[in-house]
Amino acid sequence: MIRFVKTSVLASALLAAVFSSFAFAEQTSLEEFLLVVREKNPSLQSSYKRLEALSHTVKSSVAVQRPSVGIRGSSSWLSDTYSSQAGRNMGEKGNYSLSAAITHRFDVSGVYGAQERQLLLQYNGMASDHLTLVNNTLAAAESLYWQSFIARQNIILQRGILNQRKEDLRITEEKFRQQLIPRLDVVRAQAKVEEAESLVVEAESVYKNTLAGIRTLAGGSDLEPREEDLLVPSLSVEVGIREAVERRNDVRSAETALERAKVLKTLAAKGMSPTVEGSVGYMLLTDNDNASPVEREFLLALNVSIPVYDGGKTKEDVADKAKSVEAAEWSLDARKSQVLEDLGKALTQWEKAVAVESSKRKQVARSDEELKITQLMYKEGMGAQIDLLNAQVDNQKVKTEHLAAIKEMYLALVSLKQAMSEYEPAPAE
């Protein structure tokens, strides 16, 4: 039991330390927040560094297509060498040589161009995947921004309802002191105050959770949405299937993967191609008369290799790459179908949110009027407390639902922007 109490105290202290940091969070606009996420989000930065690393890999891979230059030196030492012409031992003898050479493998079958092409396509595909990650991450960031914004508005709403419940309790207690109502009415009013207080605590907890998510997405920066008027959003995205297919980076990635698969198939078909390698060497220094070339002479060499049989490797490689092409084609079709699904769901979500918000806005207006009249009647002793409690419950419910409907409109708008790849332009050709 003592151990449990100590653990609970430590956990409470940790939570207090975490939540206290949010008290100093910097207010930021949506645009500023997205910029911070773009620059500081660990996942985005990790993806970008991998993309940079691949660019260096591409450059190093094509380096073998260029001529290479090298200097070669050697030395040897022999003891008690015997000369057959002299018929005696010549004693110790040392040899050394220093030469330079330029070597180049000639592209006689067009392999180099295909190799470079597939490497560039690999890089472009990864770049598209990175932009897809940017689009999805920024969409998640904006979604969380509006959830946090609405959560703070809900705190204001619930605190306003709490103040209203306290005022109703004050009136009820005053009427009880005047012996106009029974004690049960006071108990009911106190219960409503306690319920409203719990809803305030719950709203504050939700807001703190959203701030924790914002901090994670922003790479550890303590931020919160800027305080401004809550507005009902309007459809600010031009939606079109053709435009989405052209802009979506995940579709671009699939198109690039298909093109690369075709290039790899072409490369596989060149598995039996001949190779030609030439070199030009120059002997700088040597004391060996048997060396070739001798000192200060050039040596030209040309090596030709013509494969005759490779055990069926080329045939199987081509078959493998052909299946990869078919798989890439199906993958591209799946990505395009996903665009249709994403747009359809986002539009449905938007239309539903718009209809619900309009309905809830009308209900709020009617409920406010009903609650106002009921409170006035109860204050004047012309209405029953049960009518006031019912009006309070209905008013709180429709106001909370209206706020949730506005949040759904913002989230639906984010889904539409994400489906249209609005957060990141398509990669350049």
Side-chain angles (χ1 to χ4, degrees):
M1 177 62 70
I2 296 176
R3 181 178 300 174
F4 174 76
V5 171
K6 288 183 177 179
T7 304
S8 300
V9 171
L10 289 175
S12 301
L14 178 60
L15 288 174
V18 172
F19 289 142
S20 64
S21 65
F22 296 135
F24 305 99
E26 178 184 355
Q27 292 195 3
T28 179
S29 66
L30 174 62
E31 292 74 16
E32 294 169 343
F33 172 56
L34 295 182
L35 181 61
V36 172
V37 172
R38 186 190 296 270
E39 294 178 349
K40 295 185 178 182
N41 182 266
S43 297
L44 293 185
Q45 291 303 312
S46 175
S47 175
Y48 180 70
K49 293 304 178 182
R50 288 195 297 268
L51 184 61
E52 284 188 325
L54 182 60
S55 69
H56 294 291
T57 301
V58 172
K59 294 176 182 178
S60 65
S61 299
V62 298
V64 297
Q65 302 178 2
R66 305 184 184 97
S68 61
V69 180
I71 296 178
R72 180 180 180 181
S74 64
S75 65
S76 61
W77 179 77
L78 299 175
S79 63
D80 295 332
T81 57
Y82 178 79
S83 174
S84 59
Q85 296 179 352
R88 58 186 177 84
N89 290 334
M90 301 300 294
E92 297 178 352
K93 182 178 178 63
N95 294 317
Y96 65 87
S97 64
L98 182 64
S99 62
I102 300 176
T103 304
H104 180 59
R105 176 172 290 184
F106 297 97
D107 183 19
V108 296
S109 57
V111 172
Y112 282 1
Q115 288 177 340
E116 185 174 354
R117 178 64 178 163
Q118 73 90 9
L119 287 170
L120 290 175
L121 288 171
Q122 182 183 6
Y123 175 81
N124 290 339
M126 189 170 181
S128 296
D129 291 338
H130 171 71
L131 293 179
T132 300
L133 178 63
V134 171
N135 185 65
N136 294 338
T137 302
L138 294 184
E142 181 172 352
S143 176
L144 186 58
Y145 181 92
W146 290 120
Q147 291 180 54
S148 181
F149 186 91
I150 297 298
R152 188 171 59 196
Q153 294 294 321
N154 188 43
I155 293 176
I156 298 174
L157 172 63
Q158 299 304 328
R159 285 176 177 172
I161 293 174
L162 174 59
N163 292 334
Q164 186 182 77
R165 297 291 185 273
K166 289 181 177 179
E167 175 63 18
D168 293 339
L169 174 60
R170 186 192 65 80
I171 295 174
T172 302
E173 290 175 337
E174 180 64 26
K175 296 178 72 174
F176 174 73
R177 283 193 293 269
Q178 297 175 7
Q179 299 183 350
L180 299 177
I181 56 175
R183 176 65 181 172
L184 179 60
D185 288 359
V186 177
V187 174
R188 288 172 176 171
Q190 289 174 339
K192 286 299 178 181
V193 170
E194 294 172 356
E195 179 185 0
E197 288 175 342
S198 67
L199 291 176
V200 169
V201 173
E202 181 180 349
E204 290 174 345
S205 176
V206 171
Y207 180 59
K208 290 177 181 178
N209 288 338
T210 61
L211 291 184
I214 285 177
R215 189 177 192 276
T216 300
L217 281 174
S221 300
D222 292 322
L223 304 172
E224 65 176 346
R226 178 178 295 172
E227 293 183 2
E228 52 189 347
D229 295 335
L230 175 61
L231 302 176
V232 177
S234 59
L235 185 60
S236 57
V237 182
E238 294 184 3
V239 179
I241 296 177
R242 183 178 61 83
E243 291 79 4
V245 171
E246 291 177 353
R247 290 178 57 86
R248 286 278 289 261
N249 290 295
D250 53 347
V251 176
R252 284 293 185 89
S253 177
E255 291 173 344
T256 303
L258 174 58
E259 189 175 355
R260 181 169 182 262
K262 293 178 179 178
V263 174
L264 290 175
K265 180 183 176 182
T266 302
L267 276 174
K270 297 180 181 294
M272 295 284 290
S273 301
T275 60
V276 178
E277 185 176 280
S279 65
V280 178
Y282 180 73
M283 183 64 70
L284 299 174
L285 295 172
T286 184
D287 67 344
N288 187 354
D289 296 336
N290 296 324
S292 179
V294 297
E295 188 172 324
R296 298 184 183 280
E297 284 190 355
F298 286 96
L299 175 65
L300 302 178
L302 187 65
N303 297 321
V304 180
S305 176
I306 302 177
V308 178
Y309 180 67
D310 62 355
K313 180 179 182 299
T314 299
K315 177 182 177 182
E316 296 302 325
D317 282 347
V318 171
D320 172 62
K321 298 305 185 292
K323 293 299 181 181
S324 297
V325 171
E326 294 178 10
E329 290 173 344
W330 283 107
S331 179
L332 177 58
D333 291 340
R335 293 285 178 88
K336 291 181 178 180
S337 298
Q338 187 65 46
V339 173
L340 296 177
E341 180 181 348
D342 292 346
L343 281 178
K345 288 183 176 179
L347 282 172
T348 301
Q349 182 184 0
W350 171 258
E351 292 170 356
K352 176 184 175 182
V354 170
V356 171
E357 189 280 328
S358 177
S359 175
K360 295 303 178 183
R361 181 165 15 100
K362 296 175 183 177
Q363 292 181 36
V364 167
R366 289 195 297 266
S367 178
D368 284 343
E369 183 66 20
E370 179 180 353
L371 179 60
K372 182 179 179 181
I373 294 173
T374 305
Q375 286 175 327
L376 182 60
M377 292 178 64
Y378 181 72
K379 185 177 182 180
E380 298 296 331
M382 300 171 60
Q385 188 196 38
I386 189 65
D387 294 331
L388 175 61
L389 296 179
N390 291 335
Q392 289 175 344
V393 171
D394 292 341
N395 186 257
Q396 179 180 3
K397 180 181 178 181
V398 296
K399 282 186 175 180
T400 304
E401 290 176 348
H402 181 235
L403 199 58
I406 296 177
K407 182 183 74 173
E408 287 303 314
M409 290 185 68
Y410 277 107
L411 298 184
L413 190 59
V414 170
S415 296
L416 282 172
K417 293 167 68 176
Q418 182 179 8
M420 292 298 299
S421 195
E422 288 281 334
Y423 294 96
E424 187 68 22
E429 292 289 348

